[in-house]
Amino acid sequence: MGSSPKSLQAIMGAPGVRGKRVTALSKGGLIDFIQSIVFSKQDSREPFYVLDLGAVAGLVDRWTRALPMARPYYAVKCNPDPAFLGTMAALGSGFDCASRAEIESVLALGVSPDRIIFANPCKAESHIRYGASVGVNLTTFDSRDEVEKIRKWHPKCALLIRIKAPDDGGARCPLGPKYGALPEEVKPLLQAAQSAGLAVVGVSFHIGSGATNSRAYQRAIAAAKTAFETATRLGMPRMRVLNIGGGFTADPQFNEAASAVKAALKSYFGNESGLTVMAEPGRFFAESGFTLATNIIGKRVRGELREYWINDGIYGSMNCILYDHATVTCTPLACTSNRANPTCKGARTFSSTIFGPTCDALDTVLTGHQLPELQVNDWLVFPNMGAYTAAAGSNFNGFNTSAILTHLVYSNPS
Ligand SMILES: *Cc1c(COP(=O)(O)O)cnc(C)c1O
C-alpha cells in the first residue's frame, strides 16, 4: 500500500481515475495548477475541486506505518468522490458503507464484498436484504430490533456489537448520543443474538468524529475488552474482531492517537491471539487531499469592510461549517485583478466577509477574515476541503453541489 511507484501505477489504473487526466505536480505547484485551470476556462467560472492523489497515497502510507495492525475500511460517507474511492480501492483499503447506494458504488469499483463492512447499526430491511444478495457479510448492531431484522433477512451475516464509547474524546461530532450499546445492554444484546442463532464475532465503537483527546481510544478499547469477556462468560464462541472506528484527524493528533491505540491494544488485548483489528477512518484520508477553488461573483464595500460573494457556500461544500462544526480558511488568487502577483504577497489587507451564493443570510462562510483588496472574477482557494463537504451539499436555490467538477493531480508524497 502507499506511495511507491507500484502504487502510482495502481492509482492510474484505478476505476474513477483511469482515462482521466492526472497532472503531475511539483512541490508547491498546486496554486500554479489552479491558475492554469482558471486561465484555460475563462468562460466558465464555476467552482472546482482539485484532488491530490499523491497526498492520498501519502496518507495511506502514514496509516500503514503508524497502525500496521489496523486494516482501514474507509468510511464512504465522508467523501464518495469516485476517483477518491477508486484510489483508496487501488491502495488496498476496505470500505465502511452505511446504505445500499454506498455498497453499490463500492462494488462498482470492482471491490469484492468481503472488503466491505455494512457499518450502520440501524438498517432498513430492504438494505439488509440487498447486503445479503451481494454477499456483504459483516455488519454492526446495537438493538434487539436489529437482531430480529438480521435474523429474518441475512442470518449468515457476522455481527459486531457496537458499544458506546465511554468518552467522546472532545469530538466535534459526538456519535454516542445516537449509537452504541450501554454497558448494561451488552449482555442482553449478546444473548438476543445468541438465541437468534447469529454469530457475534466482535466489537465496534466510534469515539466521535473529529476527536481531539486520544485517551478516548484507550477507554473504548478497555470497554471492548469487557464486552469480549461478557461473551466468553455467556459461553459464546470466542470473539475475534475489534473495530476501532473512525475519529482520526491527519494532523497534528494522528501520532498521538496511533500511540494511544497501540498502547491500549497491548494492555487489553495483548494476550488475545488471532485478533483482527479493523478501523473506519473517514476524515483522516479524505480531508487534506481536496482543495476547493471558488470564484468571486460579487463585491460590496462598506467603509473599511470588504464583502465578497462566492459561488459555493453553506448550502454547498461549506455545509461542513454547520453540520461538521468545521472552520474553513481561504487564500486569495487574484488571477483577474493582479496577474503579476496573484497570491497578493505583501498587499495591504482588509477585514472581509465572505458570503455564499444563495439568498439566505445564514449562507455566510467567513467573517473578519483578512484579505487583500479583491475584485469580481478573482478567486478564493479553500484547502483541506475533502471531509464532510460536497458529500452533504444540496441543490438549494439552484446551486448544485454535485455538479462541482474535480480535477486530478499527483504530487510526490513527502
Ligand atoms: C462517520 C463514521 C465513520 C468515519 O468517521 P471519521 O470521524 O470521519 O473518521 C466511521 N464509522 C462509522 C460507523 C461512522 O458513522
Side-chain angles (χ1 to χ4, degrees), residues 162-163 165 203-207 217 220-221 224 242-246 280:
R162 168 98 169 245
I163 60 168
V203 176
S204 80
F205 61 78
H206 194 308
I207 63 161
Y217 286 105
I221 289 170
L242 174 64
N243 181 345
I244 61 173
E280 298 164 351

Side-chain angles (χ1 to χ4, degrees), residues 258-337:
S259 308
V261 166
K262 275 191 289 206
L265 287 178
K266 200 162 160 213
S267 33
Y268 298 103
F269 288 90
N271 49 15
E272 200 88 31
S273 65
L275 182 74
T276 298
V277 183
M278 38 193 297
E280 298 164 351
R283 189 185 307 279
F284 177 81
F285 289 120
E287 185 165 65
S288 53
F290 286 84
T291 303
L292 175 67
T294 64
N295 188 245
I296 296 177
I297 57 169
K299 176 178 179 181
R300 182 168 63 196
V301 177
R302 277 189 172 153
E304 284 295 287
L305 177 68
R306 299 291 179 272
E307 295 174 305
Y308 300 105
W309 278 255
I310 58 174
N311 51 4
D312 196 357
I314 293 280
Y315 288 93
S317 303
M318 285 84 166
N319 75 83
C320 58
I321 294 171
L322 281 191
Y323 294 134
D324 191 37
H325 312 289
T327 358
V328 301
T329 186
C330 69
T331 55
L333 196 58
C335 297
T336 304
S337 69

Side-chain angles (χ1 to χ4, degrees), residues 206-260:
H206 194 308
I207 63 161
S209 195
T212 51
N213 179 5
S214 301
R215 220 181 103 71
Y217 286 105
Q218 189 223 324
R219 295 194 61 198
I221 289 170
K225 175 68 181 189
T226 306
F228 270 61
E229 287 164 356
T230 304
T232 308
R233 272 205 309 280
L234 290 173
M236 297 170 68
R238 232 175 110 224
M239 287 185 174
R240 54 187 165 76
V241 180
L242 174 64
N243 181 345
I244 61 173
F248 300 88
T249 43
D251 271 311
Q253 291 111 354
F254 180 62
N255 291 339
E256 204 184 296
S259 308

Side-chain angles (χ1 to χ4, degrees), residues 70-93:
R71 172 148 194 227
Y73 288 69
Y74 168 68
V76 174
K77 79 167 184 289
C78 186
N79 192 324
D81 176 273
F84 179 71
L85 290 183
T87 298
M88 291 302 292
L91 294 174
S93 181

Side-chain angles (χ1 to χ4, degrees), residues 305-306 350-354 364-371:
L305 177 68
R306 299 291 179 272
F350 296 82
S351 179
S352 307
T353 299
I354 299 162
T364 304
V365 175
L366 278 167
T367 54
H369 195 64
Q370 288 293 322
L371 283 175

